[in-house]
Amino acid sequence: MTPNAASARILLIEDEAPIRRFLKIALGSAGHETLEAGSGREGLERAVIGNPDLIILDLGLPDMDGKAVVREIRSWSSLPILVLSVRDGEAEKIAALDAGADDYVTKPFATGELLARLRVLLRKRGDSEAQPSTVQVGPLSVDLARRLVTVGDQEIKLTRKEFDILALLARHGGRLVSHRQILTEVWGPAHVDDLHYLRIAIGHIRNKLDDDPASPRFIVTEPGVGYRLLS
Amino acid sequence: MTPNAASARILLIEDEAPIRRFLKIALGSAGHETLEAGSGREGLERAVIGNPDLIILDLGLPDMDGKAVVREIRSWSSLPILVLSVRDGEAEKIAALDAGADDYVTKPFATGELLARLRVLLRKRGDSEAQPSTVQVGPLSVDLARRLVTVGDQEIKLTRKEFDILALLARHGGRLVSHRQILTEVWGPAHVDDLHYLRIAIGHIRNKLDDDPASPRFIVTEPGVGYRLLS
DNA sequence: GGTCAGCGTAAAGTTTGCGTAAAGACCGCA
DNA sequence: TGCGGTCTTTACGCAAACTTTACGCTGACC
């Protein structure tokens, strides 16, 4: 059974050292390699540079809200996330799962069950496989993980929102993304009607990418609907 | 977000009628369609012929071992299976998960959490199966996701309403679409009587597609009724 | 053969939506 | 506390899209 469930790189984001040590041993005995992070910020860094196959995330971190960590990671990767928490509240579970987590286990947990749930998440690895975290459109390249944009060899410096928009378009690979969708994803649901924000931001991006809306190299306007990347 | 998490066909394999009824209502309120099976044997049949998007499986079936059902299904399909059980034994969970189940929820369960876990399983659907959102009619091709229309290799630039109309016809694949239907879908219910709008727009589309109403290549007029795409 | 309903086209009038500029508010950081 | 960058807000020109009005054509029916 489970041939490719063995020997994965697992990133463990957990602030309590004893639990981290315990899990490291448990994971090791199951044949996994462990990367460790003691805070949300550190976890995000390691997720980018450590290239893990799966992330185990404790919700009760000191520096960040766990759900925010999930959303951050989901903004550039679909790699499996198993959330660990002492909180057994239903609302908490639902929120974490809807933020993008793939499973939720309540502490204290049974080690065997945890390992079984990891196997479930890992055996999907083969199927969906390695989507590249960098998108190419002609001379334009968008590195979702490093938040780096280049045209040719020229690095383009985008602001946070500008990058978020471009990344969203890039992740949809040439398909149309509606105004509403961009606004809710980038500005939040409260700003679905602030269309001019979007127009101005798109204007800035085009300006930096040296893109002409009349005959676009990269970003195409679909009047009344939204934007899409040329593919 | 989660656009394709809504409205799934869910096969419910559960022998206790009250629980089945309860779940059917809960799933229905979440926008899902439900198929029902009262035994393992029946469940396997329905899984084959019912074309569900997800299966909820009770382990405590009278005729078969639940894990055997999971293995049967896994032998020909990778569709998501959520196992439901009163047994809280760790060994049981591990066995079911390793047999191929994707998640395991213990009865009694919180409805909200169950629905959230279903969303997790369903949102993977869209990624993997890259829906073919493009319709072909002879040399005409309508890409619904990219909002792109081509005739041969020539890209045709349509306005918003023009594209909406053509997309509506394309989605109905050669079947007749009434005036009323087009007007309500594209202009809104307030304009069901403004038939001339439609005629003019159709005229523009035909013009751009180089289509002659007298001997149409693409759009056929059904006098007094509506329009349809030639197939 | 006349009339009329339904369709298609042309062209003028009006509104909407897009893009840009610029100024003010905000925020993190030194 | 001041500074630079970022985001928000306001305003406006312009072009495309949409609406409105008008008219010619065809075929059916009387």
Side-chain angles (χ1 to χ4, degrees):
Chain A
M1 198 69 251
T2 67
N4 48 13
S7 185
R9 286 165 67 85
I10 296 182
L11 171 59
L12 194 52
I13 310 178
E14 160 72 71
D15 61 316
E16 294 175 64
I19 296 184
R20 220 161 62 211
R21 267 197 295 277
F22 169 76
L23 277 172
K24 188 187 165 103
I25 294 168
L27 294 172
S29 76
H32 301 306
E33 184 185 350
T34 311
L35 306 173
E36 298 180 48
S39 71
R41 191 52 47 206
E42 193 188 347
L44 289 174
E45 278 173 28
R46 300 241 162 174
V48 171
I49 58 176
N51 192 32
D53 298 310
L54 184 148
I55 295 174
I56 297 178
L57 169 67
D58 189 323
L59 271 197
L61 296 171
D63 63 333
M64 291 180 68
D65 177 43
K67 294 186 292 295
V69 176
V70 173
R71 271 188 292 268
E72 276 281 333
I73 294 170
R74 276 287 168 272
S75 72
W76 60 271
S77 163
S78 65
L79 107 182
I81 302 176
L82 184 147
V83 162
L84 217 56
S85 170
V86 287
R87 307 178 220 178
D88 199 11
E90 189 191 357
E92 194 67 21
K93 289 190 192 180
I94 295 173
L97 292 171
D98 279 340
D102 295 289
D103 204 345
Y104 190 111
V105 174
T106 307
K107 290 195 272 190
F109 51 85
T111 313
E113 181 187 346
L114 180 70
L115 291 174
R117 286 183 180 274
L118 291 181
R119 285 195 291 277
V120 170
L121 294 178
L122 287 171
R123 75 182 167 217
K124 294 214 170 97
R125 210 171 11 155
D127 317 347
S128 56
E129 192 66 52
Q131 68 189 48
S133 70
T134 156
V135 179
Q136 285 272 352
V137 178
L140 171 69
S141 132
V142 182
D143 187 326
L144 276 349
R146 274 177 259 279
R147 297 182 73 88
L148 220 68
V149 177
T150 54
V151 173
D153 287 339
Q154 192 72 34
E155 180 179 338
I156 309 291
K157 203 173 164 323
L158 295 182
T159 71
R160 198 164 353 137
K161 286 210 165 44
E162 287 165 11
F163 179 86
D164 288 345
I165 295 169
L166 189 58
L168 189 60
L169 294 177
R171 263 185 284 127
H172 279 78
R175 289 191 307 281
L176 172 76
V177 189
S178 72
H179 294 142
R180 294 190 68 82
Q181 202 169 344
I182 303 177
L183 285 165
T184 49
E185 293 271 327
V186 176
W187 273 270
H191 293 87
V192 275
D193 296 319
D194 294 330
L195 220 154
H196 49 291
Y197 292 3
L198 176 54
R199 273 204 269 275
I200 291 164
I202 288 278
H204 291 157
I205 298 173
R206 276 173 168 155
N207 198 19
K208 290 182 180 179
L209 297 182
D210 190 25
D211 196 17
D212 177 14
S215 62
R217 294 195 297 160
F218 306 122
I219 299 178
V220 182
T221 303
E222 297 286 356
V225 189
Y227 296 89
R228 67 183 171 83
L229 231 51
L230 219 48
S231 57
Chain B
M1 216 24 307
T2 66
N4 41 21
S7 186
R9 285 166 69 84
I10 297 183
L11 172 58
L12 195 51
I13 309 179
E14 160 73 71
D15 62 315
E16 294 175 65
I19 296 182
R20 220 162 62 210
R21 265 197 295 277
F22 169 77
L23 277 172
K24 189 188 165 100
I25 293 169
L27 294 172
S29 76
H32 302 305
E33 185 186 350
T34 313
L35 306 174
E36 298 181 48
S39 70
R41 190 55 44 207
E42 192 188 347
L44 289 174
E45 276 173 30
R46 300 240 163 176
V48 172
I49 59 176
N51 191 32
D53 298 311
L54 182 147
I55 296 175
I56 297 179
L57 169 66
D58 190 324
L59 272 197
L61 295 171
D63 63 332
M64 293 178 67
D65 177 44
K67 294 186 293 295
V69 176
V70 173
R71 271 188 292 267
E72 275 283 331
I73 294 170
R74 276 287 168 272
S75 70
W76 60 272
S77 163
S78 64
L79 108 183
I81 302 175
L82 185 145
V83 162
L84 216 55
S85 169
V86 286
R87 310 178 217 178
D88 199 10
E90 189 190 357
E92 194 67 21
K93 289 191 191 178
I94 296 173
L97 292 171
D98 279 341
D102 295 289
D103 204 344
Y104 190 112
V105 175
T106 307
K107 289 195 273 191
F109 51 85
T111 313
E113 181 187 345
L114 180 70
L115 291 174
R117 286 184 180 274
L118 290 180
R119 284 195 290 277
V120 170
L121 295 177
L122 287 172
R123 75 181 166 217
K124 285 184 181 132
R125 203 167 29 145
D127 310 349
S128 52
E129 74 176 61
Q131 56 222 7
S133 63
T134 157
V135 180
Q136 284 273 351
V137 178
L140 172 69
S141 129
V142 182
D143 187 326
L144 301 174
R146 276 175 246 272
R147 294 197 136 241
L148 224 68
V149 177
T150 54
V151 173
D153 285 340
Q154 192 71 35
E155 180 178 337
I156 310 290
K157 204 173 164 317
L158 295 183
T159 72
R160 175 156 47 121
K161 286 208 166 47
E162 287 165 10
F163 179 87
D164 289 346
I165 295 168
L166 189 59
L168 189 60
L169 294 177
R171 272 200 299 273
H172 280 75
R175 291 191 306 282
L176 172 73
V177 189
S178 72
H179 294 142
R180 293 189 67 82
Q181 200 168 348
I182 303 177
L183 284 164
T184 49
E185 294 268 329
V186 176
W187 273 269
H191 294 87
V192 275
D193 297 320
D194 294 330
L195 205 120
H196 50 291
Y197 292 1
L198 176 54
R199 275 205 266 278
I200 292 166
I202 288 279
H204 291 157
I205 298 173
R206 277 172 168 156
N207 195 22
K208 290 182 180 178
L209 297 183
D210 191 24
D211 196 17
D212 178 14
S215 62
R217 293 196 297 160
F218 306 121
I219 298 178
V220 183
T221 304
E222 297 286 355
V225 191
Y227 297 89
R228 66 184 174 83
L229 230 52
L230 220 50
S231 59

